[in-house]
Amino acid sequence: MPLTRRHILLAGLGLPAAAQQKAAAPRPNIVLVVADELAAWMLGCYGNKEFRTPNIDRLARMGTRFNNCFTLSPMCGSGHASLFSGRAPAQHGITDALTGAAPAGFAGEVLLSDLLSGEGYECGFAGKWHLGGEEQPQHGFRFWYAAQGEVRLQNPVVSREGKTVEEKGYLGDLITAAADSFLERQSESRPFFLTVDYPLLHPPYEGHPEQYAAMYAQNTFESIGWLPAAPNAARQKELLQDTVGSLRKAGAALSALDGQVAALYKALQARGRLENTLVIFTSDHGSLWGRHGLWNGGPASEPSNMFEEVVQVPMLWSWLGRIPADNTRPELVDFCDFFLTVAEAAGAQPPAGRNLPGRSFLPLAANKA
């Protein structure tokens, strides 16, 4: 092995090069941000010119953007289950949005939080769980702040560490504050896995801060490609009675989400947690918002649809010093791949016997072959 300037410096400190390399690459902290019902096509970093998402776009420029990432389902519950388990809906058993408890067998699924908590990660959750049993901490999460029932943007009912309480304030602010509370508790000696799930794009879009509504008061959304209501329009078809008015409200919700992403990133920065933290931004599934004459995701039509807009989701990875900035990848990746990619980034062995069908895309995120 050739002698380098770095080896001479290490020798002067009395440290073996291998030991120094090991110390220089500890397991990363991981922050996973999930934006419910957000399609890739809605974001500026994916080419949208009408919705204002400067903070999410900035996050995209700080790392790698995957241009062809797909959820396994156009439904909230099944999309979340595949994201966390790395398995297809037919494997984990959640094939729709959950309105009650998860199927009995789902308790035996090994989710990312189970895997990482077993590897010594401190796991925290803040937001909308979508997978049943949100009244109590689930699947290795010790910190727990989960919205209960139907989404209430103002004064929501939440489970805080297993106790149901009615909070005061705006749901987005409350979720971000809970995430910051988790960050405040973390020590330097142990890595953490924080999931922040924002359900801010759920209709009817009432209750977001007024400043965001003003941003879209004059928009006509001519480039969106929306159409009159389709004959088979189903879920949320009432929003198509005034598509432009509904798009103005939806745009305000999207920009409110963008504001929370900025606040969360600032919290990480203020806590000094960016040095070795992998930040991931994605969604459970997309929505149509007037495209094809439909509004919601898969259930927007009868029968349900699989239009590209409802299954193509954003996938942004930022990790200072490990993932190059301004990087884009064209490869097709999906949520089965996501589980194995996070496991590899954390240095964790995937669980045995789960028939995981994916493949890690970590080399692609780092712009390697």
Side-chain angles (χ1 to χ4, degrees):
M1 181 175 67
L3 191 65
T4 67
R5 179 175 180 272
R6 182 171 180 273
H7 287 99
I8 295 171
L9 289 172
L10 295 177
L13 293 172
L15 295 174
Q20 180 68 7
Q21 288 172 348
K22 184 176 180 181
R27 292 180 297 169
N29 305 310
I30 302 169
V31 177
L32 169 62
V33 183
V34 184
D36 293 357
E37 303 189 10
L38 175 65
W41 72 265
M42 299 172 180
L43 298 174
C45 56
Y46 284 90
N48 194 289
K49 302 299 183 183
E50 301 223 43
F51 297 123
R52 298 168 179 83
T53 56
N55 298 298
I56 297 172
D57 300 342
R58 187 177 301 113
L59 183 64
R61 293 194 300 271
M62 293 173 62
T64 293
R65 181 182 80 246
F66 287 89
N67 285 338
N68 291 289
C69 179
F70 292 86
T71 177
L72 273 289
S73 170
M75 317 282 191
C76 287
S78 50
H80 275 83
S82 292
L83 178 70
F84 282 106
S85 70
R87 306 212 304 161
Q91 293 178 293
H92 56 62
I94 298 180
T95 57
D96 203 338
L98 282 181
T99 56
F106 189 75
E109 286 293 324
V110 180
L111 304 190
L112 266 176
S113 46
D114 296 310
L115 178 68
L116 295 179
S117 65
E119 292 285 335
Y121 274 73
E122 184 69 23
C123 296
F125 181 87
K128 183 71 174 173
W129 176 237
H130 291 285
L131 298 176
E134 61 268 11
E135 297 85 2
Q136 297 293 328
Q138 298 286 326
H139 287 275
F141 286 110
R142 294 209 303 167
F143 179 94
W144 190 252
Y145 187 89
Q148 304 290 289
E150 293 295 322
V151 174
R152 285 169 48 178
L153 293 177
Q154 294 292 334
N155 304 330
V157 176
V158 305
S159 171
R160 187 198 299 145
E161 312 290 16
K163 295 181 179 179
T164 300
V165 297
E166 181 175 350
E167 296 280 48
K168 300 297 181 184
Y170 173 57
L171 179 60
D173 292 339
L174 293 167
I175 291 173
T176 302
D180 186 43
S181 177
F182 171 82
L183 294 173
E184 184 182 21
R185 302 182 187 188
Q186 303 313 300
S187 69
E188 297 288 345
S189 61
R190 185 178 184 184
F192 62 80
F193 172 54
L194 170 62
T195 296
V196 189
D197 191 299
Y198 289 110
L200 303 182
L201 300 189
H202 288 224
Y205 312 118
E206 304 294 342
H208 293 290
E210 288 296 326
Q211 70 200 66
Y212 298 108
M215 295 167 60
Y216 294 93
Q218 303 302 319
N219 279 54
T220 57
F221 302 101
E222 295 177 1
S223 70
I224 295 299
W226 60 270
L227 297 171
N232 65 333
R235 184 175 294 182
Q236 295 162 4
K237 64 180 180 180
E238 67 278 3
L239 296 174
L240 299 165
Q241 295 173 9
D242 177 14
T243 301
V244 170
S246 297
L247 282 168
R248 287 171 178 166
K249 293 180 180 180
L254 177 52
S255 290
L257 165 69
D258 186 74
Q260 294 302 322
V261 171
L264 179 62
Y265 197 86
K266 288 178 181 177
L268 283 165
Q269 196 170 33
R271 301 287 180 194
R273 288 298 186 172
L274 291 179
E275 184 65 28
N276 189 39
T277 296
L278 167 60
V279 180
I280 305 167
F281 180 88
T282 189
S283 170
D284 56 350
H285 70 86
S287 294
L288 294 165
W289 285 7
R291 290 189 172 194
H292 308 284
L294 304 170
W295 192 267
N296 191 257
S301 59
E302 181 59 49
S304 293
N305 72 85
M306 282 285 284
F307 285 119
E308 184 169 308
E309 293 96 328
V310 305
V311 291
Q312 187 177 10
V313 295
M315 182 62 72
L316 312 177
W317 283 55
S318 175
W319 186 1
L320 297 178
R322 296 292 297 273
I323 291 178
D326 287 315
N327 185 36
T328 59
R329 300 298 306 202
E331 293 84 359
L332 190 153
V333 299
D334 65 30
F335 283 1
C336 290
D337 305 316
F338 176 80
F339 181 97
L340 295 172
T341 308
V342 174
E344 182 179 357
Q349 287 295 320
R354 305 307 298 166
N355 192 22
L356 295 171
R359 179 180 180 184
S360 172
F361 55 74
L362 188 62
L364 302 180
N367 212 26
K368 299 178 181 178

